[in-house]
Amino acid sequence: ALLREKMVEVCADKFIVIVDESKLCEGLGPGFPLPVEITPFCHEHTLRTVAALPSCAGSEAILRMGSSSSNVNDGDEIAVTDNGNYIVDLHFKEPISDAPTMAKELKNTVGVVDHGLFCDMTTAVIIAGSDGISVKEAEAKAPLSQDELKKMVGYKSVDDYVESGMVVGLGTGSTAYYAVERLGQKLKSGELKDIVAIPTSVRTKEQAESLDIPLVTLDTHSKLDVAIDGADEVDPDLNLVKGGGGALLREKMVEVCADKFIVIVDESKLCDGLGPGFPLPVEITPFCHEHTLKLIANLPSCAGCDAVLRMGSSSSNVNDGDEIAVTDNGNYIVDLHFTEAIKDAPGMADELKNTVGVVDHGLFCDMTTAVIIAGSDGISVKEA
């Protein structure tokens, strides 16, 4: 009854498990076969697919026969669950090394309905033993770090949106780093093939080269299947502020050419309005840069902002040096600090872009296909 049990128990605020002490083990697998509920259609194919999964290596996959309520063969007919499905029992000689990963891999297998791994669900276990009854409660999980959240969305973006044969835009920044890392992993394993990628900065190019990701440029590939990048702010309309890392021009040039632009952020980047939470970078030409800075500050749409020339490293909007920051393109950056939300981001975008001396700006309006968001409750996706 694993499917119905899981459907009910995953909805509970508290899931209390009751066992005798014989059920306790050092590692799942050897002591009891793992049941996997599969669809009857082409069940032998699904059985072989399950047995061949990397996480199931070394297991013996056996189709349950007779009664579906027993994993002991007690009949000549295939056992059928209450849901009309079949069950494959996986017999392991060694403990399962990573149950949550196996759970995900099984669930993502086409033909698998669900499985008997109930991971991260238990509130408490009440145990009956020779010395009486004891209770073991689940330890409170430490909240995920920001880097862990970034890794989650970076990996998911590649897993969900990148397929073999694609041209992929690679963003820049601490979140995009993990998308590049994941792409390199999947190319190395052979899971993805015939991929070429376009980096949006020198440091992304260097990371991609270190992972043996084949690189091209817009000069030879002006149409991309997908681009993946982080953002500094995301408003409810999925307009973005980008460019905190100084790569806004190359990011925009690449990402505007993509059929799909996937943004990866943790929930701290979501805002009700762009501006107050993160300075808006504007890339300008070095020629008469002070003049251009003043022009920008006096634009009607930028009224009230504090326009600050970026100093030190171009990859940080925090002043960390005495020299003017220079982008990969040889330009300067002006960071616009707002105390109130930008009222009309597309209007400001147009006004900035039409200012002589401005190369481009960090407002990415009407470009986003989907935002993958990592939060305390897991990962969510918001589509345009």
Side-chain angles (χ1 to χ4, degrees):
L2 67 96
L3 175 61
R4 298 190 183 191
E5 289 172 343
K6 189 177 286 186
M7 288 181 69
V8 171
E9 290 153 7
V10 77
C11 295
D13 289 339
K14 294 182 179 180
F15 175 34
I16 309 302
V17 179
I18 47 178
V19 297
D20 64 79
E21 61 186 357
S22 69
K23 308 299 185 186
L24 304 181
C25 65
E26 296 295 331
L28 303 176
F32 198 90
L34 170 64
V36 181
E37 190 161 340
I38 67 172
T39 58
F41 179 73
C42 295
H43 62 276
E44 292 184 1
H45 163 76
T46 304
L47 183 151
R48 292 193 300 268
T49 301
V50 168
L53 291 173
S55 61
C56 299
S59 69
E60 182 182 8
I62 299 176
L63 187 66
R64 188 175 294 188
M65 306 295 290
S67 170
S68 66
S69 61
S70 171
N71 61 12
V72 177
N73 188 328
D74 58 1
D76 297 326
E77 299 293 325
I78 298 174
V80 180
T81 69
D82 290 344
N83 314 297
N85 298 315
Y86 296 168
I87 291 180
V88 173
D89 289 304
L90 301 181
H91 296 254
F92 293 87
K93 295 180 180 179
E94 301 289 337
I96 296 168
S97 59
D98 186 351
T101 296
M102 180 181 288
K104 181 178 180 181
E105 198 168 40
L106 284 167
K107 185 62 176 171
N108 288 337
T109 299
V110 178
V112 169
V113 180
D114 220 306
H115 52 77
L117 286 170
F118 285 47
C119 299
D120 301 320
M121 289 175 56
T122 306
T123 305
V125 181
I126 303 175
I127 307 158
S130 55
D131 297 329
I133 292 178
S134 60
V135 178
K136 185 174 183 180
E137 296 184 347
E139 295 180 1
K141 288 186 174 181
L144 293 173
S145 69
Q146 194 169 41
D147 281 343
E148 288 172 323
L149 294 173
K150 290 176 179 181
K151 185 174 182 177
M152 287 169 64
V153 292
Y155 277 37
K156 183 174 175 62
S157 66
V158 174
D159 292 345
D160 289 0
Y161 289 97
V162 178
E163 299 175 1
S164 293
M166 282 187 167
V167 181
V168 182
L170 303 179
T172 295
S174 58
T175 308
Y177 173 90
Y178 290 107
V180 179
E181 179 179 83
R182 183 60 167 167
L183 182 61
Q185 289 176 357
K186 298 188 84 168
L187 283 169
K188 185 176 181 179
S189 70
E191 190 173 349
L192 289 176
K193 299 178 180 179
D194 302 321
I195 294 284
V196 293
I198 302 177
T200 55
S201 67
V202 172
R203 60 185 180 278
T204 297
K205 177 177 180 288
E206 291 171 348
Q207 182 194 4
E209 287 175 338
S210 73
L211 297 171
D212 296 322
I213 298 173
L215 299 181
V216 293
T217 72
L218 289 177
D219 291 337
T220 57
H221 293 72
S222 294
K223 185 178 184 300
L224 287 74
D225 296 289
V226 65
I228 300 169
D229 205 353
D232 300 309
E233 281 191 315
V234 182
D235 77 5
D237 295 323
L238 305 191
N239 295 317
L240 317 172
V241 167
K242 287 177 51 55
L248 64 99
L249 175 60
R250 297 191 185 192
E251 288 172 342
K252 189 175 286 186
M253 288 181 68
V254 170
E255 289 151 11
V256 77
C257 295
D259 290 340
K260 293 182 179 180
F261 176 33
I262 308 304
V263 179
I264 48 178
V265 296
D266 66 79
E267 61 187 354
S268 70
K269 308 298 186 183
L270 305 182
C271 64
D272 292 326
L274 303 176
F278 199 91
L280 170 64
V282 182
E283 189 160 343
I284 66 172
T285 58
F287 178 73
C288 294
H289 62 275
E290 293 183 2
H291 163 75
T292 304
L293 183 151
K294 288 182 285 189
L295 282 179
I296 292 169
N298 289 323
L299 291 174
S301 61
C302 298
C305 78
D306 183 21
V308 179
L309 187 65
R310 188 175 293 189
M311 305 295 288
S313 170
S314 66
S315 62
S316 171
N317 61 11
V318 177
N319 187 330
D320 59 1
D322 298 327
E323 300 292 326
I324 297 174
V326 179
T327 70
D328 287 344
N329 315 296
N331 298 316
Y332 296 169
I333 290 179
V334 174
D335 289 303
L336 305 183
H337 297 254
F338 293 87
T339 56
E340 296 184 1
I342 296 169
K343 296 177 181 178
D344 180 5
M348 179 182 288
D350 287 342
E351 198 167 40
L352 284 167
K353 184 63 176 172
N354 288 327
T355 299
V356 177
V358 169
V359 180
D360 220 304
H361 52 76
L363 286 169
F364 285 48
C365 300
D366 301 319
M367 288 176 57
T368 306
T369 303
V371 180
I372 304 176
I373 306 157
S376 55
D377 295 329
I379 292 179
S380 60
V381 179
K382 185 174 181 180
E383 296 183 345

